[in-house]
Amino acid sequence: MELLTSEDFNNTRIQPEWTAMDYLLEVVRVDQEKMQEQTFMNEKKNGRLKRKRRIQEENSKNKRPITSYPPKPLMPEGLKQHIVENMGGSNCVLVIQKQLFFSDVNPQASRLLIPVSQVESREFLNESEVERLKNKEAIQACLVEPSMEETEINFKWWDMRKNSMYVITTSWNSIVKNNRLKVEDIVQLWSFRVDSTLCFALQKL
């Protein structure tokens, strides 16, 4: 509470007949008016602060969080050197990095499933290869195993509507056995070209 000053009585018209009680009543009136004005100003100020705080909260909710993306995996130097120097390969492209499930190492299934929705890039196939796969034709390709052995595999496409799959079959059981692949292993499948021919490389992380 602020004390009254002479400026608070600028609008007061003093009458000659006022008694001491009239002066006291006038002081009380001016004091109440000043208190009401201060209360109004405080409420107005608090209202602005509340609105400002609410706007800041809404802006913070609508603000998109800063997302940091992990760097794209690089092909291990040893594998890249083998592909480039020993095989004359080029255009290495990461097809997928995935965790192996039981269905991937089950000897009765004998295939590696590659969900199309999880593929890093579909540019590893050319137009001719895409058409062959759509016509349910398998593409024979060389696959470099984690052990650096080269194996012939069949690369197919299974149209399963919402969950279409690329599939590696033929020799897959031997690849699993030779490289001791098991459930929960993380593998990378890379594609590359040798004289425009599609090839693959499997890397165990």
Side-chain angles (χ1 to χ4, degrees), residues 37-85:
E37 183 179 358
Q38 288 178 346
T39 301
F40 174 77
M41 294 302 295
N42 288 336
E43 290 178 350
K44 188 176 180 180
K45 182 178 180 181
N46 290 335
R48 287 198 300 267
L49 290 175
K50 289 180 180 179
R51 285 195 298 272
K52 184 177 180 180
R53 191 178 298 115
R54 185 171 63 251
I55 292 173
Q56 289 175 343
E57 291 176 354
E58 290 176 354
N59 290 339
S60 63
K61 289 180 181 179
N62 295 331
K63 189 177 294 183
R64 294 182 179 179
I66 299 175
T67 304
S68 59
Y69 297 96
K72 290 185 178 181
L74 299 177
M75 175 176 281
E77 284 300 321
L79 178 59
K80 186 176 182 180
Q81 184 177 2
H82 176 78
I83 290 173
V84 174
E85 296 183 4

Side-chain angles (χ1 to χ4, degrees), residues 96 114-120 122 157-158 163-166:
I96 191 172
I114 306 165
V116 174
S117 61
Q118 298 178 24
V119 167
E120 295 286 339
R122 301 186 189 183
W157 179 58
W158 288 356
N163 297 314
S164 296
M165 301 277 183
Y166 293 122

Side-chain angles (χ1 to χ4, degrees), residues 22-198:
D22 292 326
Y23 282 107
L24 181 60
L25 291 174
E26 179 65 13
V27 170
V28 172
R29 183 189 68 79
V30 172
D31 183 61
Q32 289 180 344
E33 287 183 354
K34 186 170 184 178
M35 287 182 61
Q36 290 177 356
E37 183 179 358
Q38 288 178 346
T39 301
F40 174 77
M41 294 302 295
N42 288 336
E43 290 178 350
K44 188 176 180 180
K45 182 178 180 181
N46 290 335
R48 287 198 300 267
L49 290 175
K50 289 180 180 179
R51 285 195 298 272
K52 184 177 180 180
R53 191 178 298 115
R54 185 171 63 251
I55 292 173
Q56 289 175 343
E57 291 176 354
E58 290 176 354
N59 290 339
S60 63
K61 289 180 181 179
N62 295 331
K63 189 177 294 183
R64 294 182 179 179
I66 299 175
T67 304
S68 59
Y69 297 96
K72 290 185 178 181
L74 299 177
M75 175 176 281
E77 284 300 321
L79 178 59
K80 186 176 182 180
Q81 184 177 2
H82 176 78
I83 290 173
V84 174
E85 296 183 4
N86 298 342
M87 302 180 65
S90 61
N91 298 329
C92 299
V93 177
L94 178 63
V95 178
I96 191 172
Q97 177 173 306
K98 65 166 289 182
Q99 183 182 59
L100 296 180
F101 297 97
F102 175 74
S103 59
D104 296 315
V105 296
N106 181 7
Q108 296 181 348
S110 186
R111 80 281 187 279
L112 174 66
L113 295 179
I114 306 165
V116 174
S117 61
Q118 298 178 24
V119 167
E120 295 286 339
S121 171
R122 301 186 189 183
E123 296 180 359
F124 70 96
L125 296 172
N126 59 35
E127 293 181 4
S128 173
E129 291 161 346
V130 171
E131 287 300 318
R132 289 171 60 186
L133 292 174
K134 285 184 177 180
N135 292 330
K136 298 182 179 181
E137 181 182 348
I139 297 176
Q140 292 184 340
C142 171
L143 182 140
V144 180
E145 302 181 24
S147 62
M148 296 298 181
E149 292 186 28
E150 298 174 15
T151 305
E152 292 294 324
I153 55 99
N154 280 335
F155 188 78
K156 302 178 180 179
W157 179 58
W158 288 356
D159 185 5
M160 302 172 68
R161 296 183 180 178
K162 294 183 179 180
N163 297 314
S164 296
M165 301 277 183
Y166 293 122
V167 189
I168 289 179
T169 62
T170 308
S171 305
W172 179 248
N173 278 347
S174 64
I175 295 172
V176 171
K177 183 178 179 181
N178 294 342
N179 297 276
R180 298 181 180 179
L181 299 180
K182 59 185 183 300
V183 176
E184 295 187 354
D185 279 349
I186 305 296
V187 297
Q188 291 177 343
L189 182 68
W190 295 81
S191 73
F192 61 97
R193 300 278 169 175
V194 176
D195 295 330
S196 76
T197 301
L198 179 65

